[in-house]
Amino acid sequence: MGYYDLDDILADSAEIPCKFLHDIPGLGYLENNPGGTIHVNTQLKLPLWLARVLAIIDASSASDDVGNADIFNTEQQFTPFLNMLTPETFTNKVINAIKTDPISLDLHSINPYFYALAIKWIELFSDKDLAEIVSDLLLQRSQVINAHANSTTISYNNNSNSTSSTGNNNTTNNNHALFTLTLDEFEKKIYKEANDSYKDIKKWIYQY
């Protein structure tokens, strides 16, 4: 994904539950307490881009003066500012729903940027189990997406290059519209590209 990819930016803004491991003065505004202190064990939801930074920075070394830091102390324990907790998108309830019926799952209602967020989470925690679940989810759902994309009906006019609609076409289009409402943004792109490809193929065939 590119730096200006909107889906990537929106996935990075997903709120992640976090637990602070230190008292941090001046960050009270994050819990509507301007000028106050965030205390240890406080749990807040932060955007992924911010939570990720605070979860990988060593709070002890960040608080030391550079000139006084003991660079030879290899026994110093790494302690980040906070721990990132599992977001609702990847709770056991959602994972069980994915395993039970991935095809009819309304993925958009769970998270419109499910796959983009999943990739970030998997990379961050090297979560092989989640990677396998998400990979299998996409494989199964992509087959259904392809089937919907391929079911496009085109009625070709003899006197023009335009297509006409029929009652059956309207019903089919309505079904497709309802189906796409359950897709996350990545799946919608897959559906559109596949649907456009099938339409182009059928139009080309009707010419001969």
Side-chain angles (χ1 to χ4, degrees):
M1 297 182 180
Y3 181 79
Y4 294 106
D5 188 294
L6 292 180
D7 289 349
D8 188 50
I9 293 173
L10 290 171
D12 244 349
S13 66
E15 291 190 337
I16 306 297
C18 303
K19 181 178 180 180
F20 282 84
L21 304 178
H22 303 271
D23 291 337
I24 306 179
L27 283 186
Y29 68 89
L30 292 177
E31 54 178 354
N32 297 321
N33 182 24
T37 298
I38 283 189
H39 297 285
V40 62
N41 294 326
T42 296
Q43 294 191 21
L44 292 176
K45 287 186 177 181
L46 299 176
L48 175 60
W49 64 267
L50 176 58
R52 180 171 52 212
V53 172
L54 296 177
I56 63 177
I57 294 179
D58 188 350
S60 58
S61 62
S63 62
D64 290 337
D65 292 332
V66 176
N68 297 329
D70 185 3
I71 61 175
F72 298 103
N73 184 9
T74 57
E75 297 181 356
Q76 185 177 8
Q77 184 177 4
F78 173 80
T79 306
F81 284 99
L82 55 79
N83 281 336
M84 298 170 62
L85 308 178
T86 303
E88 295 180 3
T89 304
F90 308 124
T91 59
N92 289 333
K93 179 180 179 180
V94 174
I95 297 302
N96 289 335
I98 291 175
K99 293 179 178 179
T100 301
D101 191 3
I103 302 301
S104 60
L105 189 67
D106 187 349
L107 203 59
H108 189 274
S109 66
I110 296 175
N111 193 305
Y113 303 94
F114 179 88
Y115 291 104
L117 181 59
I119 291 173
K120 292 177 181 294
W121 194 261
I122 291 168
E123 292 178 344
L124 191 60
F125 292 97
S126 299
D127 194 333
K128 294 182 179 180
D129 291 337
L130 180 60
E132 184 176 347
I133 291 171
V134 173
S135 178
D136 185 61
L137 172 68
L138 180 59
L139 176 61
Q140 294 190 53
R141 288 173 65 89
S142 63
Q143 298 177 42
V144 179
I145 292 172
N146 183 68
H148 274 268
N150 191 25
S151 63
T152 301
T153 302
I154 297 179
S155 179
Y156 194 77
N157 291 334
N158 293 330
N159 298 325
S160 67
N161 291 329
S162 62
T163 59
S164 61
S165 300
T166 65
N168 290 335
N169 287 348
N170 290 334
T171 300
T172 300
N173 290 336
N174 289 335
N175 291 335
H176 290 332
L178 293 175
F179 171 72
T180 56
L181 291 177
T182 67
L183 306 180
D184 100 314
E185 294 303 313
F186 177 68
E187 291 177 330
K188 287 180 180 179
K189 290 181 179 180
I190 295 177
Y191 172 83
K192 184 180 185 306
E193 291 179 5
N195 185 250
D196 289 344
S197 296
Y198 283 124
K199 283 182 178 179
D200 290 341
I201 291 173
K202 291 177 181 179
K203 287 180 180 179
W204 180 81
I205 292 175
Y206 288 156
Q207 293 177 358
Y208 300 94

